[in-house]
Amino acid sequence: MSKTTFSPDHVSLEEVEQKNNKVKRSGKVVPSNGEVKIFGPDYFFNYELSWLKFNERVLSEALDRTNPVLERVKFLSIVCSNLDDFFQKRVGGLKRQLQAGVNDPSVDGRTPAEQLLEIRGEVNIMITALRKCFFKDLMPQMDKNGIVFKSYHNLNPDQKKVIDDYFDQQLYPILTPLAVDHSHPFPLISNKSISFAVELVDTRTKEKLFARIKVPSNRPRWLIAEQSEEKLTLIAIEDVIKQNLDRLFTGAEIVSANVFRVTRNADVERNEEEADDLLEVIEEELRERRFAEVVRLEIEAETPDHIKKLLVEKMKISDNDIFEIDGFIGLAQSIQIYDFEGFHNLKFPKWVPTLHPVFRREIEEEAPTIFDIMRSGDFMVHHPYHSFATSVQHFIEEASNDPQVLAIKQTLYRTSSDSALLHSLMRAADQGKQVTVLVELKARFDEERNIEWAQKLEKAGVHVSYGLAGLKIHSKATIVVRQEGNRLKRYVHLATGNYHPYTAQLYEDLGLFSCDEELGSDVSGLFNYLTGFAPGQSYKKLLIAPNHMRLNINKLIKHEIEEAKNKRPSRIIAKMNSLEDPGIIQTLYAASSAGVHIDLIVRGVCRLRPGVKGLSENITVHSVIGRFLEHSRIYYFKSSGSDLFLIGSADWMGRNLDARVESLIPIENPKLKHYLQFLLNLLIRDNQYRWLLQSDGTYKKVEKGADKEIAVQALLMQHASSGEEPVPKTS
């Protein structure tokens, strides 16, 4: 394996569809490379519990008093937002299995019912910790630094007038009390909405009544009662509404008014294969999701028991779905506190992504266009250290304006609500260029935004494709076709992250720019596969899922096994978001047993049990949780000394390998390989933000000790600021 070679063997789309249907029916993962031969807790951690361990590591950043206070608030809001997603997707999926009568154990041996029971225990512990952190630690710290939370009764007269005026002008006109009686059925409570459960007494008839008031989601959660350069006085919107309930129920006596919040199942079934219009299917799913079954009810602990009972009955939930809360409900919205203007001393020093060194040549007119730069050799940008706007966005903008560019094609999984990049593509279409955008309508929780973009793009003359039934398009790819003399030349950008300018400032990702002929041909073939009909498409360099990525990843691991057995150097380092796939894990166990030294850098879920004698004693699992979300996927194999590096969009998860279109790209430029080696070495040596997974499933943070401080993200910011080529002098 001295040269990058991949097997052309692939699984047909018909086989993929049959396997995916089997997975949907059974609720289990069935690897396409054969049956998993090992099962049970001795070999696999539970997916849901491992995910909760990841969220605990995020929570630890909120608990860490060495972090600035508003950064801690931000981490805490991420923890709560993560929990919302977890209940919608993971808990929702388990409940759906129970409803369907599926009681098969997962690969770690737990049934859906057992998993739900353990989840509740772990979540309760997490909720206790995060709420103690917010109310007992963060709020007093914010108060000391000028961000003060007050109840309505504690406001001074001037502050009350500000809030009263706000209620009159911005809240009262849009609040809608909904009574529940014989002529008014219990209202449908939309997902993640905060509401009041109000108990009333009609002063004329003495009849007890119930009403619901939705807290408007299009108004700030915390209202400003007073603001100066050094102080911000805030009041929760629900407190303001509660103080004015008598104006909404004139002639009635308010007995109680308590806040509650529902989370609904987002694991809504769809039948894409039988759909005439995928867009209509997704739009219908969005409507269903708003009012799907409730999977969690958060409610004020002081709510009267009979009101709790009413909500339980009307929303058809069990006691296990109820989480009683003291204080603010819905702390995911605490991100708003972080976003208030000022208080920069309570945040990390602002990081401004730098211009990648190769683009200075364009500014200095050594290379008049980005295409001149790309012809001089492959280069790689590393976000958020390098600017997205001056690299990826610039590439699309220049291609859109270049009269020699004939066609632009791009995959779109997630992007912002006002993407300059997509506006450039619409201008390109308006100028007569052939522009094709493959919009993934099924990107979870971004469906609505993607539908809006798809419609805007189509109106602008862009060819919009929605991909393949039964598969999500997760690959991140752009190809630009340019007329150069009497021939056409292809320029490509392939990435580990989305074409999303906002998350590019928060997520760590890699992107390769290349005009390599074989790679360009592969990307053209990929788009033919996605937008047309090319089930037998083969590739010279790209590894594409679901056709043959799993097969080749297994071959690469098995090659390292053979090298180790023959006493030759072997090594695997793999960086990803999650490691879940039982088939890949089984092969990694075999590699460890053969003596292959393996480092896995897994930010989130990891089902592999490391450090078990005779099974995984040569495997170390690292997790880096820092200021930026580690999002890139990098795979390294010693590969008989050729040092094979792959980057791309795919984690080692069943869904990525079998139910999504993914791509991995070999990095062949020696300088870029050197940078990736440097990066991986930093990650497994970080002694500030790195955690190690223990064989019992717990994570232990690496002790800082007396060694030289190695904080990978800080070092990469420092290196990017130096303005040097992104290839450090030493590794």
Side-chain angles (χ1 to χ4, degrees):
M1 297 189 77
S2 58
K3 185 177 182 290
T4 303
T5 55
F6 298 123
S7 169
D9 299 342
H10 66 276
V11 182
S12 71
L13 288 179
E14 290 77 12
E15 290 175 284
V16 170
E17 184 176 329
Q18 289 172 7
K19 192 188 76 60
N20 285 345
N21 288 337
K22 185 178 180 182
V23 169
K24 290 175 185 176
R25 288 194 300 271
S26 69
K28 294 176 70 175
V29 176
V30 184
S32 60
N33 66 321
E35 291 296 323
V36 175
K37 298 178 181 178
I38 53 175
F39 294 91
D42 291 340
Y43 300 102
F44 299 102
F45 293 127
N46 178 259
Y47 184 101
E48 330 304 329
L49 300 179
S50 180
W51 186 96
L52 289 171
K53 292 294 182 187
F54 157 65
N55 214 32
E56 283 180 14
R57 298 195 295 282
V58 180
L59 177 58
S60 73
E61 294 299 314
L63 297 172
D64 187 347
R65 294 189 176 187
T66 65
N67 285 330
V69 64
L70 286 183
E71 298 294 343
R72 296 174 63 194
V73 171
K74 183 177 181 179
F75 277 116
L76 189 136
S77 77
I78 292 170
V79 169
C80 296
S81 179
N82 285 348
L83 275 177
D84 286 347
D85 290 351
F86 178 75
F87 272 89
Q88 290 179 93
K89 293 188 287 188
R90 305 304 306 182
V91 174
L94 288 170
K95 284 182 170 291
R96 176 127 318 158
Q97 288 185 43
L98 283 180
Q99 292 166 3
V102 175
N103 204 37
D104 294 340
S106 58
V107 73
D108 57 274
R110 291 173 174 84
T111 65
E114 289 170 338
Q115 292 177 71
L116 287 169
L117 188 62
E118 289 192 62
I119 284 168
R120 180 172 176 84
E122 292 293 325
V123 168
N124 274 328
I125 293 170
M126 188 177 297
I127 289 173
T128 299
L130 73 87
R131 297 189 73 80
K132 179 181 178 183
C133 174
F134 187 83
F135 292 104
K136 301 295 185 183
D137 190 355
L138 293 177
M139 283 184 66
Q141 288 294 321
M142 285 188 280
D143 186 273
K144 288 179 184 178
N145 287 279
I147 302 175
V148 180
F149 294 84
K150 287 191 175 183
S151 66
Y152 184 84
H153 293 299
N154 290 330
L155 297 176
N156 65 38
D158 290 339
Q159 293 168 342
K160 284 184 178 179
K161 185 177 186 314
V162 170
I163 293 303
D164 289 342
D165 288 345
Y166 185 90
F167 179 83
D168 290 339
Q169 298 169 19
Q170 299 292 331
L171 287 177
Y172 183 73
I174 60 176
L175 291 173
T176 305
L178 297 174
V180 177
D181 56 27
H182 297 297
S183 58
H184 299 90
F186 190 85
L188 289 168
I189 313 295
S190 56
N191 185 35
K192 295 195 292 187
S193 62
I194 296 175
S195 301
F196 274 99
V198 184
E199 187 179 14
L200 311 161
V201 172
D202 187 325
T203 54
R204 297 166 300 177
T205 65
K206 304 303 179 184
E207 180 186 3
K208 282 193 174 182
L209 304 168
F210 175 84
R212 176 253 183 165
I213 297 176
K214 180 179 179 178
V215 176
S217 58
N218 56 2
R219 289 292 179 267
R221 177 66 186 279
W222 280 277
L223 308 178
I224 299 174
E226 187 175 10
Q227 186 173 19
S228 65
E229 288 187 7
E230 298 180 350
K231 189 173 182 180
L232 190 64
T233 302
L234 303 174
I235 179 172
I237 189 173
E238 58 266 34
D239 191 5
V240 177
I241 294 172
K242 190 170 185 177
Q243 297 306 315
N244 290 277
L245 285 177
D246 57 338
R247 295 181 57 186
L248 297 166
F249 299 101
T250 54
E253 176 190 345
I254 297 168
V255 178
S256 65
N258 298 98
V259 173
F260 69 95
R261 180 176 184 262
V262 301
T263 311
R264 294 185 178 273
N265 192 351
D267 187 44
V268 179
E269 292 183 350
R270 68 169 77 98
N271 192 337
E272 297 171 25
E273 287 75 18
E274 296 180 8
D276 294 326
D277 189 325
L278 183 58
L279 181 61
E280 288 183 4
V281 170
I282 302 302
E283 288 177 326
E284 178 61 29
E285 178 186 325
L286 288 174
R287 287 190 288 270
E288 288 181 20
R289 188 187 297 169
R290 288 184 63 208
F291 305 111
E293 64 269 26
V294 174
V295 294
R296 178 179 59 169
L297 170 65
E298 298 169 277
I299 189 166
E300 284 186 318
E302 62 187 26
T303 305
D305 288 342
H306 61 284
I307 298 296
K308 291 178 189 175
K309 183 179 179 182
L310 173 68
L311 293 174
V312 166
E313 290 176 352
K314 295 297 183 181
M315 289 189 277
K316 299 184 171 95
I317 60 175
S318 70
D319 289 343
N320 285 334
D321 300 320
I322 302 172
F323 292 84
E324 296 188 3
I325 305 292
D326 288 312
F328 304 132
I329 290 177
L331 285 179
Q333 292 175 312
S334 59
I335 189 65
Q336 183 196 335
I337 302 165
Y338 179 91
D339 289 334
F340 280 121
E341 289 293 327
F343 301 98
H344 301 296
N345 60 313
L346 305 182
K347 301 178 183 179
F348 290 133
K350 186 176 181 181
W351 169 249
V352 179
T354 66
L355 182 71
H356 189 288
V358 302
F359 288 100
R360 292 195 185 90
R361 295 177 53 206
E362 190 172 9
I363 293 173
E364 295 163 1
E365 296 187 354
E366 293 180 20
T369 70
I370 191 172
F371 305 109
D372 295 311
I373 296 172
M374 293 174 71
R375 283 196 298 274
S376 67
D378 292 0
F379 65 92
M380 188 166 58
V381 292
H382 195 181
H383 308 302
Y385 311 108
H386 299 129
S387 167
F388 180 88
T390 59
S391 58
V392 181
Q393 198 166 296
H394 175 63
F395 174 52
I396 301 300
E397 185 175 349
E398 194 164 331
S400 299
N401 295 326
D402 188 335
Q404 291 177 250
V405 169
L406 305 179
I408 307 171
K409 300 180 183 182
Q410 184 177 85
T411 59
L412 180 67
Y413 192 73
R414 301 187 197 278
T415 192
S416 59
S417 57
D418 187 27
S419 170
L421 187 149
L422 294 187
H423 283 294
S424 292
L425 291 177
M426 289 190 284
R427 285 196 303 273
D430 189 55
Q431 293 169 15
K433 293 176 170 57
Q434 294 291 313
V435 181
T436 302
V437 178
L438 196 143
V439 180
E440 181 47 80
L441 298 180
K442 296 164 284 185
R444 190 73 65 97
F445 305 131
D446 274 273
E447 299 97 335
E448 193 167 354
R449 178 180 294 167
N450 286 2
I451 288 171
E452 290 174 1
W453 271 118
Q455 293 169 341
K456 287 180 183 177
L457 290 165
E458 284 186 324
K459 288 179 182 177
V462 174
H463 300 297
V464 176
S465 175
Y466 301 136
L468 305 167
L471 297 173
K472 279 188 179 180
I473 314 303
H474 195 244
S475 179
K476 328 295 184 184
T478 298
I479 185 166
V480 171
V481 183
R482 192 169 186 262
Q483 181 78 50
E484 296 183 358
N486 60 359
R487 69 184 188 119
L488 299 182
K489 191 165 183 66
R490 289 173 284 213
Y491 298 83
V492 301
H493 173 261
L494 297 160
T496 66
N498 297 306
Y499 291 107
H500 196 310
Y502 177 69
T503 58
Q505 299 178 58
L506 303 172
Y507 290 16
E508 176 273 338
D509 272 305
L510 294 162
L512 175 71
F513 287 86
S514 177
C515 59
D516 178 85
E517 289 290 341
E518 289 187 340
L519 196 56
S521 176
D522 277 2
V523 178
S524 287
L526 174 62
F527 276 97
N528 291 341
Y529 168 59
L530 295 176
T531 63
F533 183 75
Q537 182 68 49
S538 61
Y539 307 93
K540 294 180 179 179
K541 290 191 173 182
L542 288 181
L543 269 166
I544 300 297
N547 300 61
H548 61 271
M549 186 181 288
R550 176 189 289 279
L551 173 71
N552 281 286
I553 291 295
N554 271 299
K555 283 185 175 181
L556 289 169
I557 299 172
K558 288 175 181 177
H559 178 77
E560 299 301 318
I561 293 174
E562 290 304 310
E563 293 290 276
K565 286 180 177 178
N566 289 301
K567 309 300 181 184
R568 292 190 289 266
S570 60
R571 186 81 162 92
I572 298 172
I573 307 176
K575 178 181 185 292
M576 66 199 84
N577 293 301
S578 294
L579 172 57
E580 169 273 338
D581 186 74
I584 295 291
I585 292 172
Q586 182 173 267
T587 311
L588 289 171
Y589 285 151
S592 173
S593 298
V596 181
H597 181 49
I598 303 169
D599 280 290
L600 303 172
I601 306 159
V602 186
R603 187 197 76 232
V605 171
C606 181
R607 301 191 74 173
L608 178 146
R609 187 183 287 274
V612 178
K613 189 173 181 180
L615 179 73
S616 57
E617 56 196 314
N618 291 311
I619 301 177
T620 304
V621 178
H622 316 256
S623 178
V624 175
I625 305 293
R627 173 176 179 174
F628 305 126
L629 184 87
E630 292 290 333
H631 191 252
S632 65
R633 291 86 166 179
I634 309 170
Y635 301 104
Y636 167 76
F637 300 89
K638 189 68 177 176
S639 193
S640 299
S642 67
D643 291 331
L644 173 62
F645 288 89
L646 300 164
I647 68 168
S649 59
D651 293 318
W652 284 350
M653 300 181 68
R655 71 183 189 192
N656 297 90
L657 299 172
D658 301 327
R660 291 183 174 187
V661 176
E662 304 274 12
S663 59
L664 291 176
I665 312 105
I667 301 299
E668 298 173 333
N669 182 297
K671 287 185 177 181
L672 302 186
K673 291 170 74 170
H674 181 64
Y675 180 74
L676 292 175
Q677 187 67 67
F678 168 79
L679 175 58
L680 292 175
N681 286 344
L682 271 185
L683 285 160
I684 62 178
R685 291 167 55 211
D686 185 298
N687 56 18
Q688 304 296 307
Y689 299 99
R690 181 166 57 99
W691 298 72
L692 290 173
L693 175 58
Q694 309 300 300
S695 59
D696 63 358
T698 61
Y699 280 81
K700 183 180 292 185
K701 195 165 189 179
V702 173
E703 293 184 9
K704 297 183 179 181
D707 295 337
K708 179 181 177 181
E709 180 177 315
I710 301 174
V712 59
Q713 295 184 356
L715 288 171
L716 291 172
M717 284 189 282
Q718 182 182 349
H719 181 74
S721 296
S722 72
E724 298 176 6
E725 285 281 343
V727 183
K729 293 179 182 178
T730 61
S731 59

